[in-house]
Amino acid sequence: MTIISNENIKNFILSIVLFLFSLENHGNIRLAFAAIIIILSLLLLKTQKIPVKPTLLLLKTSSLLLFISLLSLFSIFTYKENMGEYNSVEFFYSTQVKIFLIILFFYIIKDDKNSLCTILKYSILFHVSIFFIQLAMIYTTGIYPDFLFPFTGEASRYTWGVKIPIIGSTYRPTGMFNEPSTYFSILLPFVILRYYLSNKLSRVDCWALLSFYLTLSFAAIIISSIFIIIINLTGKKIHKLIPFVILLLIVLTPLLINFYELRTSGNYDAIGIRQNLNNALLEQPLSDLLFGNGPVGVPLSLEYLYLSNALSWTKNGFAAINDNGLMIFIIMKFGVIGMLFLILIIYKNIRIATYTLVCLLPFATKIKLTSLTFIFFIFVIILFSKERKNENRFPNKLP
């Protein structure tokens, strides 16, 4: 007997699971809560045949994960273990748990694209609502509701030292995360997936896009603008957003120029430390550049920063390892060959240039390669690839 029979209830429960998946800064305790909800949902649903496609994906990704982990464990070819306490075994088990949880998620929704669109909508709505609550409260009361510190002890970085006439100090809400760029990096894939699955943008998606601009993050503003330009090239009647984007860019440009001057002056050169990280990547031997250092390896010029936890990356002239975007991170770990292989997988499952470009945008963000959100993003592209190729099977109305 099916206990969870109402589709809306099931979608709402799974949207909570996806919301928990996305809380990248809240530690692993959220995974335990997500696992409990998923297991209970599976028990309360009517027992059916196990879906073939998610199961095959689980076997393939698990086998690839094991192969990569073994290469690192035995330091085969260019792979190495030089990231201190973080080793191949930890990488394997932590990533495998995430893959397994996501596959269980797809066991519940199976190939129901409409259900997935609804789940994504609710998850986006949760995040965007929190963002605008923070935005309203900090400017009206001066109080910033921090939804990270009570759970982790880490304070959200919502201040940035930029003032403008009349308003005074400006702020950058972070949502449930530690900084605005992380909020953007996690939510952008959800918005892209909604567009990928339905070929449309709803009001919730537009509110999310607006929040990306209001983070006042360079990357968020530039990448969001590129996203809107690309979807306009497909002729899907999103052109009405262009004037709004232009207006936002005009208003926000003075703030960003001010912020750029702050970030490149004094003792902190944000541009310089990122360039130093790129130099460390490019100055590697050709074999390391082509095939990478492995999931728990870094270029030898950065090794000393991991061997001593007391050393500060910034004080030593380097940005954090993922600060230059996911694409640079993947090249560092799996080389140019690995990056090209992942792009090929995405294009093979989409087969449409404009949608491939849209789905590559998260690679320019700071999202982590092994984050639940990114793994979920790639799995949706693969599992719903046949749906994407058949334009006639798109829903007429976005949930």
Side-chain angles (χ1 to χ4, degrees), residues 57-94:
L57 182 60
L58 172 63
L59 294 175
K60 290 178 181 179
T61 53
S62 298
S63 299
L64 179 61
L65 179 66
L66 178 61
F67 176 70
I68 291 173
S69 300
L70 289 174
L71 288 180
S72 292
L73 180 63
F74 296 105
S75 299
I76 298 174
F77 196 34
T78 61
Y79 282 25
K80 53 184 73 76
E81 276 192 347
N82 61 351
M83 293 180 64
E85 297 178 357
Y86 185 54
N87 55 43
S88 302
V89 176
E90 182 180 348
F91 163 76
F92 174 78
Y93 283 112
S94 61

Side-chain angles (χ1 to χ4, degrees), residues 197-258:
L197 293 168
S198 65
N199 206 28
K200 302 174 187 289
L201 288 181
S202 71
R203 290 183 180 178
V204 170
D205 304 313
C206 291
W207 279 108
L209 286 171
L210 174 61
S211 72
F212 296 162
Y213 283 91
L214 294 177
T215 62
L216 303 177
S217 162
F218 284 110
I221 291 172
I222 293 171
I223 297 172
S224 298
S225 300
I226 293 174
F227 172 67
I228 293 173
I229 291 171
I230 292 175
I231 61 178
N232 272 272
L233 295 176
T234 64
K236 301 301 180 182
K237 298 182 180 179
I238 315 293
H239 58 273
K240 59 184 178 181
L241 292 177
I242 292 295
F244 183 63
V245 171
I246 294 175
L247 178 62
L248 278 174
L249 290 175
I250 293 173
V251 172
L252 297 177
T253 295
L255 294 177
L256 296 176
I257 291 175
N258 193 335

Side-chain angles (χ1 to χ4, degrees), residues 111 113 116 196-197 380-388:
D111 60 350
K113 182 173 60 179
L116 180 55
Y196 169 79
L197 293 168
V380 170
I381 292 175
I382 295 173
L383 291 174
F384 289 84
S385 59
K386 291 183 180 179
E387 298 285 328
R388 178 86 281 274

Side-chain angles (χ1 to χ4, degrees), residues 1-246:
M1 179 179 179
T2 303
I3 299 178
I4 302 180
S5 57
N6 188 296
E7 192 71 16
N8 291 331
I9 295 176
K10 184 182 77 171
N11 289 341
F12 183 75
I13 291 174
L14 289 179
S15 67
I16 294 175
V17 171
L18 187 57
F19 178 74
L20 290 172
F21 280 177
S22 68
L23 298 181
E24 189 65 27
N25 297 137
H26 285 73
N28 292 329
I29 187 64
R30 78 194 197 282
L31 301 184
F33 286 113
I36 291 171
I37 297 174
I38 289 176
I39 292 172
L40 288 176
S41 298
L42 286 169
L43 293 175
L44 296 177
L45 286 169
K46 184 178 179 180
T47 304
Q48 296 179 348
K49 292 182 179 179
I50 296 176
V52 175
K53 198 169 182 180
T55 304
L56 290 176
L57 182 60
L58 172 63
L59 294 175
K60 290 178 181 179
T61 53
S62 298
S63 299
L64 179 61
L65 179 66
L66 178 61
F67 176 70
I68 291 173
S69 300
L70 289 174
L71 288 180
S72 292
L73 180 63
F74 296 105
S75 299
I76 298 174
F77 196 34
T78 61
Y79 282 25
K80 53 184 73 76
E81 276 192 347
N82 61 351
M83 293 180 64
E85 297 178 357
Y86 185 54
N87 55 43
S88 302
V89 176
E90 182 180 348
F91 163 76
F92 174 78
Y93 283 112
S94 61
T95 308
Q96 185 64 68
V97 167
K98 296 173 183 178
I99 291 173
F100 188 66
L101 284 176
I102 294 173
I103 293 298
L104 290 180
F105 179 96
F106 285 112
Y107 277 178
I108 298 175
I109 66 169
K110 299 180 175 60
D111 60 350
D112 189 343
K113 182 173 60 179
N114 287 331
S115 179
L116 180 55
C117 280
T118 301
I119 292 166
L120 285 164
K121 180 184 74 172
Y122 286 148
S123 298
I124 292 172
L125 183 60
F126 293 155
H127 281 292
V128 171
S129 298
I130 291 169
F131 179 93
F132 281 103
I133 288 172
Q134 292 174 327
L135 185 71
M137 287 193 65
I138 189 63
Y139 279 107
T140 57
T141 68
I143 299 173
Y144 183 78
D146 192 332
F147 295 102
L148 179 64
F149 182 78
F151 299 99
T152 66
E154 179 185 4
S156 298
R157 297 190 282 274
Y158 63 94
T159 59
W160 65 326
V162 176
K163 297 182 179 180
I164 59 176
I166 301 177
I167 294 179
S169 296
T170 57
Y171 303 94
R172 308 194 302 160
T174 60
M176 297 290 295
F177 306 96
N178 58 357
E179 57 183 33
S181 59
T182 308
Y183 167 85
F184 166 68
S185 299
I186 296 297
L187 246 65
L188 177 66
F190 287 173
V191 174
I192 289 175
L193 285 179
R194 294 252 303 160
Y195 180 70
Y196 169 79
L197 293 168
S198 65
N199 206 28
K200 302 174 187 289
L201 288 181
S202 71
R203 290 183 180 178
V204 170
D205 304 313
C206 291
W207 279 108
L209 286 171
L210 174 61
S211 72
F212 296 162
Y213 283 91
L214 294 177
T215 62
L216 303 177
S217 162
F218 284 110
I221 291 172
I222 293 171
I223 297 172
S224 298
S225 300
I226 293 174
F227 172 67
I228 293 173
I229 291 171
I230 292 175
I231 61 178
N232 272 272
L233 295 176
T234 64
K236 301 301 180 182
K237 298 182 180 179
I238 315 293
H239 58 273
K240 59 184 178 181
L241 292 177
I242 292 295
F244 183 63
V245 171
I246 294 175

Side-chain angles (χ1 to χ4, degrees), residues 178-375:
N178 58 357
E179 57 183 33
S181 59
T182 308
Y183 167 85
F184 166 68
S185 299
I186 296 297
L187 246 65
L188 177 66
F190 287 173
V191 174
I192 289 175
L193 285 179
R194 294 252 303 160
Y195 180 70
Y196 169 79
L197 293 168
S198 65
N199 206 28
K200 302 174 187 289
L201 288 181
S202 71
R203 290 183 180 178
V204 170
D205 304 313
C206 291
W207 279 108
L209 286 171
L210 174 61
S211 72
F212 296 162
Y213 283 91
L214 294 177
T215 62
L216 303 177
S217 162
F218 284 110
I221 291 172
I222 293 171
I223 297 172
S224 298
S225 300
I226 293 174
F227 172 67
I228 293 173
I229 291 171
I230 292 175
I231 61 178
N232 272 272
L233 295 176
T234 64
K236 301 301 180 182
K237 298 182 180 179
I238 315 293
H239 58 273
K240 59 184 178 181
L241 292 177
I242 292 295
F244 183 63
V245 171
I246 294 175
L247 178 62
L248 278 174
L249 290 175
I250 293 173
V251 172
L252 297 177
T253 295
L255 294 177
L256 296 176
I257 291 175
N258 193 335
F259 183 53
Y260 176 82
E261 293 174 350
L262 288 174
R263 301 271 282 183
T264 56
S265 61
N267 296 324
Y268 180 67
D269 183 3
I271 307 300
I273 61 176
R274 283 167 172 78
Q275 185 57 51
N276 289 340
L277 189 64
N278 287 335
N279 292 338
L281 174 67
L282 296 174
E283 290 170 359
Q284 296 181 105
L286 181 60
S287 58
D288 290 16
L289 184 60
L290 288 176
F291 299 100
N293 299 278
V296 292
V298 293
L300 294 177
S301 59
L302 301 176
E303 185 179 39
Y304 73 98
L305 293 170
Y306 279 100
L307 297 180
S308 175
N309 293 328
L311 293 178
S312 166
W313 283 61
T314 302
K315 291 181 179 179
N316 279 271
F318 293 100
I321 195 169
N322 65 326
D323 273 0
N324 285 10
L326 179 60
M327 183 177 70
I328 298 298
F329 181 86
I330 292 175
I331 293 174
M332 184 177 292
K333 296 295 184 177
F334 302 105
V336 174
I337 302 297
M339 184 68 238
L340 292 176
F341 178 72
L342 189 51
I343 292 175
L344 180 62
I345 290 176
I346 293 174
Y347 179 72
K348 183 180 177 181
N349 284 279
I350 298 175
R351 299 285 187 179
I352 302 173
T354 51
Y355 291 101
T356 301
L357 287 175
V358 165
C359 289
L360 289 178
L361 289 177
F363 288 86
T365 72
K366 292 166 57 175
I367 192 170
K368 294 181 179 179
L369 177 64
T370 57
S371 70
L372 273 159
T373 300
F374 184 73
I375 298 173

